[in-house]
Every structure is written in C-alpha cells, then in structure tokens.
Amino acid sequence: MIEEPRAEVALRQLKFRDPDTARRLVRTLERVTKEIGRSPVSVMHVCGSHEQAISKFGLRATFPKDLNVIMGPGCPVCITDMPEVDEGVALARQGCVIASYGDMLRVRGTALSLNDAQAEGATVEVVYSATQAVELAREMPDREVVFFATGFETTAVATAAIVRSELPKNFSVLSAHKYIPPAMEIVAEMPETRVEGFLAAGHAATITGWGIFEPFVERHRIPVVVAGFEPLDILAGLARLVELVRDETPTVVNMFPRCVTKEGNLRAQEELWSVFRPIGGRWRGIAHVPKGNLRLRDEWAHVDARRRFTIDLAALWDGVPPALAADCVCGDIMSGISTPTDCKLFGRECVPDAPVGACMVSSEGACRIWHQYGGHPNLEAL
Amino acid sequence: MCLGVPGRVVSVREGFAEVDFWGVRREVCLDIVDEPVAPGDYILNHVGFAIRRIPAEDIAQTLALYETLLAEAPSNDLMVADVRGEISATGKR
Ligand code: SF4
C-alpha cells in the first residue's frame, strides 16, 4: 500500500473554507521548504491567537516536517513578570480593589496569585475591558480601584483612551502592558533560537502599521510577514515567509491588507504614546527587553498606581515559590528553544485546572493551547 | 486577547456606536477608530474599542473565521471563549 503523505491526510480531514487554496498553499510550503535545503527551517509567530488557530485547525499536521513553526513571546499574561504580579497582589492586600482580565488572577507572582489574595479576603474583580474597571470604580466610590492592565499594544491603546477620559478620583492603573517589536529584536538575537523569519500578528499591526518592522528587517536581515488569523491567512503568510527565506530577501510583506496599512492607525498611536512611554524590563522567563514595557508618562502620575501608592513588595518576597515551578520551561518555550511537550510536568502535574506555570494559565499560552488541541494533532483521531 | 471581533454598526452617537455582533447589540467606543464610521459599516472591536473600519470589499472574508467559531456549540473551546470575551468587553446598552 502506498502511504498517503501526511499533509494530504490532514487536508482531507480538516475543514477548510476553500480546500483548493489550502491544498495549493500546503504544496507551496512543502516545495519551498525543500528548496531551502536546510533542516529545520525555523520561523516564529508572536501571537496567542495565531497559535490557537494553528492548533485548533490542526495546521501543524500540514506543515512540512523540516519547517518548525514556533510560538514566541505572544502571550501577554505569560510574559507578565513575577514582580509585576506581586505589585498587584501587594496592592490588593493593602486594601485596594484590583480589577483585571480573568487569566491574570491565576498567574502566580513570586509567592501568590491574585486569586490567593482574594482567598485571604482581598477584593479582586474580573473585567473584560478598561471601561468596565472604570465603571467598577464608580460603583465603589469609597474604595480605591486599581486596573491591573495587561496586553500588548492593541490592548494598551484602549487603556490609553480610558486614561485620557474623565475618570473618577478613586481609579488608577497598574500598567503591565508590553510592546512586541522590541521583544522580536531580543528573540532574533538569541543564538539557540535561530529564527529565520517572523509571522507578525495582524491585529497588533492594525495599530502600529507594517512599516514599524522595516528598521527591524534592516538590522537583523530577517523577513517579516504580517498575517491574519484564518487558517488560510496563516498558510498564505507562512508560504510567503518561506519564499522570502529561500530567496534571502529580508523585507516586510503585508498579507493582511484588509486590516493592516503601512502607517497603521495613526489616531490610536497618538493616544498610545501620549499616555505611555516604553521602558526596559524583564519579560517572565525570557530576558530583559529594552523598551519592552509600557509605563504611564509623568503627566498621568495621578492615575498611575505606582506613584499613587507605596507598594510594599518586601513582605511577599519572603514566600518561597513551590518546588515544581523550578521545572517550568515556559521561558524556553516562548524563546523557541522548547515545546510544551518537552516539559515533564505538561499534562501531568501541570494542567489547566491546576497550572504550574503561566503558559498553562492563559488562553493564549502555548501549554494551555496544546493541552486543549494538541500541538501536533493525531489525525487518526479527528 | 488580541483577536478582536468584527460587528456591524447599527447607529452612531457622540463617540459611541451601537454594534450588532451576530444578534447581540452592544456599545463600542469610537475614540480610536481610524476612519469615521456610519450605520452599515463593519468595525473590528477590541476590548470595547473600534480599532479599524473594515473595508466593504473585505467584510465577507473577515467574518468567515468568526462564523466558523460561533457556529460551534458552546464549549470550553479557547478560541470561541476569547471571541465571546471580546463581545463581553463592549458596553451594555
Ligand atoms: S507545562 Fe506547565 S510547568 Fe511545563 S512549561 Fe508549560 S506551564 Fe510551565
């Protein structure tokens, strides 16, 4: 019996909106990767939604075996550093109401998570947006409400718009917002990772524009393709990316023109940079990223929880992290050195209901995504 | 959290739009959208803010992914949950 190539099996099993286009793209990927003649060819995407789509739709089963598609530091919850979580926990224990996105509550800082603080009696509320955090402050006029803000530039823009609006006096922001372009620089320089091309996230680029990647491409001589989130968008983006790798053409290609322009959303950028300034800081498990953290500018000191309160972290730092956490390789996964299945705790001691590391907490974390969908799906089981 | 979700503008007033997300009507802030929007336009919503007016010719293509996702039975699917979360991030009318 002739064995059917696995990409063919995958294509037959997976439901594509346009199977012919999918088949053509998969063949291009296969052929061009072969033409590069190296193994593996490693490319990186930097977006939890990309990983969700790749894993959910089983795309890895259609990728050539010599093509390694890595999820980089594209999960804002995962890269929020432990001292940043500690700040939120400390403020909660000091009597502030902490409002944050749901996944943040379960991520542990040096010793505790916001959920732990809540169990001790602190007030911690889940919100879906900065606007809802402001509403909460209006409903609790005699409490200090701190919005613990996480997310990349796409989400930071919304926080910026809120900061510039009319705010109740008892509202402030603890910013753990992150800025993706500088992190791509860091990962591009990691010798162990050897990323040969980046797939940039369509919706972050909606704000920043694709032009922002030009200096990066110039410096690192690595191509960047901006891609959308449909299975076909991702296949098309990857096919273009491997062509650029093969042709040794470091350039930026926008494959998501329906949302992304060269200059991006200028109005949103103006809001973003009028409220935030980029400063250096650690991304959990990865590295110090110069200009990778977004902090409030001096003009907004009155809304900045870090200036408004004295945050006492010392008390938290006596807590000893549990022994298991030492085995978590989240940072290596986000740097492209390991995959979730390399971690010996994956699916055993570390599961979504009892996560050891941040990558198993967030819906955008590689471990959580692989745990739900499998990173390399078994097509027989589909 | 970066996925966003598209919706159809029903009406516009003072910096906000009433937007229809597959039958769910919510309020979306227009402070940072790149172009003026009018009823009938589609916008991409992220955490309660419109970040892009989707060009008319691209709407069908943009909606396809979400239609696939929302057609699924309610489950603990991560991507579906993220899309529903984006709708919850908008203002109640
Ligand atoms: S499976 Fe858990 S412990 Fe292992 S790397 Fe992922 S988050 Fe960390």
Side-chain angles (χ1 to χ4, degrees):
Chain A
M1 198 178 86
I2 302 167
E3 207 188 320
E4 200 175 2
R6 89 194 160 130
E8 276 302 320
V9 180
L11 281 167
R12 203 155 37 71
Q13 305 264 7
L14 302 171
K15 289 187 206 76
F16 278 101
R17 195 161 45 82
D18 177 355
D20 290 340
T21 310
R23 181 161 291 117
R24 186 171 50 72
L25 289 168
V26 165
R27 294 228 172 91
T28 308
L29 259 184
E30 186 83 42
R31 175 174 49 80
V32 177
T33 306
K34 197 170 282 164
E35 283 165 5
I36 295 173
R38 257 176 283 134
S39 181
V41 176
S42 297
V43 296
M44 180 177 271
H45 70 77
V46 275
C47 175
S49 304
H50 272 160
E51 185 59 35
Q52 286 178 349
I54 289 173
S55 299
K56 179 179 171 61
F57 297 103
L59 295 188
R60 269 202 188 80
T62 73
F63 297 163
K65 66 174 186 346
D66 294 330
L67 179 68
N68 196 4
V69 180
I70 306 164
M71 171 166 174
C75 164
V77 171
C78 307
I79 42 99
T80 301
D81 203 12
M82 293 201 261
E84 291 175 305
V85 177
D86 291 343
E87 287 176 308
V89 170
L91 283 173
R93 284 176 145 191
Q94 285 168 231
C96 296
V97 175
I98 300 289
S100 197
Y101 298 115
D103 285 345
M104 275 318 291
L105 272 59
R106 306 201 303 143
V107 177
R108 205 188 299 257
T110 310
L112 300 176
S113 66
L114 284 168
N115 262 350
D116 297 332
Q118 192 175 32
E120 285 179 351
T123 315
V124 179
E125 301 281 345
V126 172
V127 290
Y128 287 99
S129 67
T131 316
Q132 289 171 2
V134 174
E135 279 161 19
L136 193 68
R138 292 216 167 88
E139 287 160 18
M140 306 174 118
D142 48 355
R143 298 286 301 271
E144 282 289 342
V145 173
V146 177
F147 176 47
F148 187 12
T150 58
F152 294 122
E153 44 271 32
T154 342
T155 316
V157 168
T159 307
I162 286 296
V163 166
R164 289 168 56 113
S165 68
E166 192 102 17
L167 289 173
K169 287 207 163 49
N170 60 330
F171 175 84
S172 57
V173 173
L174 177 65
S175 170
H177 281 304
K178 301 279 187 277
Y179 188 48
I180 265 276
M184 287 168 59
E185 306 257 356
I186 294 293
V187 178
E189 281 166 13
M190 287 182 171
E192 316 88 308
T193 307
R194 296 191 318 273
V195 175
E196 298 188 56
F198 277 97
L199 199 68
H203 290 159
T206 303
I207 304 293
T208 59
W210 60 260
I212 194 163
F213 300 117
E214 284 188 323
F216 167 83
V217 163
E218 189 65 33
R219 256 196 304 281
H220 297 279
R221 317 296 301 161
I222 293 178
V224 173
V225 171
V226 180
F229 301 96
E230 272 238 33
L232 287 180
D233 286 336
I234 294 174
L235 285 179
L238 285 172
R240 191 73 189 94
L241 188 58
V242 290
E243 282 172 0
L244 295 171
V245 171
R246 176 197 61 190
D247 301 342
E248 295 176 17
T249 320
T251 182
V252 189
V253 173
N254 178 18
M255 299 284 284
F256 197 41
R258 64 183 187 263
C259 278
V260 180
T261 59
K262 180 164 189 185
E263 13 355 283
N265 180 336
L266 293 174
R267 189 167 165 195
Q269 287 168 33
E270 220 173 81
E271 296 258 340
L272 180 67
W273 299 121
S274 72
V275 169
F276 290 106
R277 69 196 162 91
I279 67 159
R282 266 200 78 77
W283 286 30
R284 183 192 293 233
I286 300 180
H288 178 94
V289 180
K291 295 195 164 48
N293 284 1
L294 299 174
R295 293 289 186 263
L296 294 184
R297 292 184 172 277
D298 292 344
E299 304 91 283
W300 309 102
H302 56 289
V303 200
D304 189 345
R306 289 194 179 88
R307 318 243 197 139
R308 188 128 121 189
F309 307 102
T310 309
I311 306 179
D312 180 16
L313 293 181
L316 280 173
W317 289 350
D318 293 336
V320 188
L324 277 181
D327 291 328
C328 174
V329 294
C330 253
D332 286 351
I333 293 171
M334 291 185 286
S335 312
I337 302 165
S338 301
T339 63
T341 41
D342 291 336
C343 174
K344 56 180 189 244
L345 305 181
F346 178 77
R348 296 189 179 90
E349 292 87 347
C350 184
V351 289
D353 284 340
V356 173
C359 296
M360 188 60 91
V361 171
S362 171
S363 63
E364 293 175 298
C367 298
R368 177 83 189 278
I369 296 171
W370 282 37
H371 191 268
Q372 176 155 51
Y373 302 120
H376 294 275
N378 174 6
L379 292 167
E380 303 306 310
L382 274 178
Chain B
M1 208 159 78
C2 290
L3 190 54
V5 62
R8 184 176 51 86
V9 176
V10 179
S11 64
V12 176
R13 62 162 179 87
E14 296 159 37
F16 285 92
E18 188 189 323
V19 176
D20 179 283
F21 298 99
W22 290 272
V24 181
R25 291 214 175 165
R26 310 280 295 197
E27 202 168 59
V28 172
C29 182
L30 298 177
D31 276 2
I32 51 176
V33 72
D34 51 347
E35 284 167 276
V37 306
D41 286 347
Y42 276 77
I43 53 94
L44 182 68
N45 158 70
H46 177 55
V47 292
F49 287 79
I51 59 170
R52 167 89 172 155
R53 190 186 77 182
I54 302 164
E57 61 277 18
D58 296 329
I59 291 165
Q61 215 186 339
T62 307
L63 296 182
L65 170 66
Y66 297 89
E67 275 162 8
T68 315
L69 290 176
L70 293 168
E72 283 188 23
S75 67
N76 60 354
D77 186 272
L78 294 178
M79 236 181 154
V80 175
D82 277 8
V83 171
R84 292 186 196 279
E86 283 282 12
I87 297 175
S88 306
T90 53
K92 291 208 181 64
R93 290 169 52 235

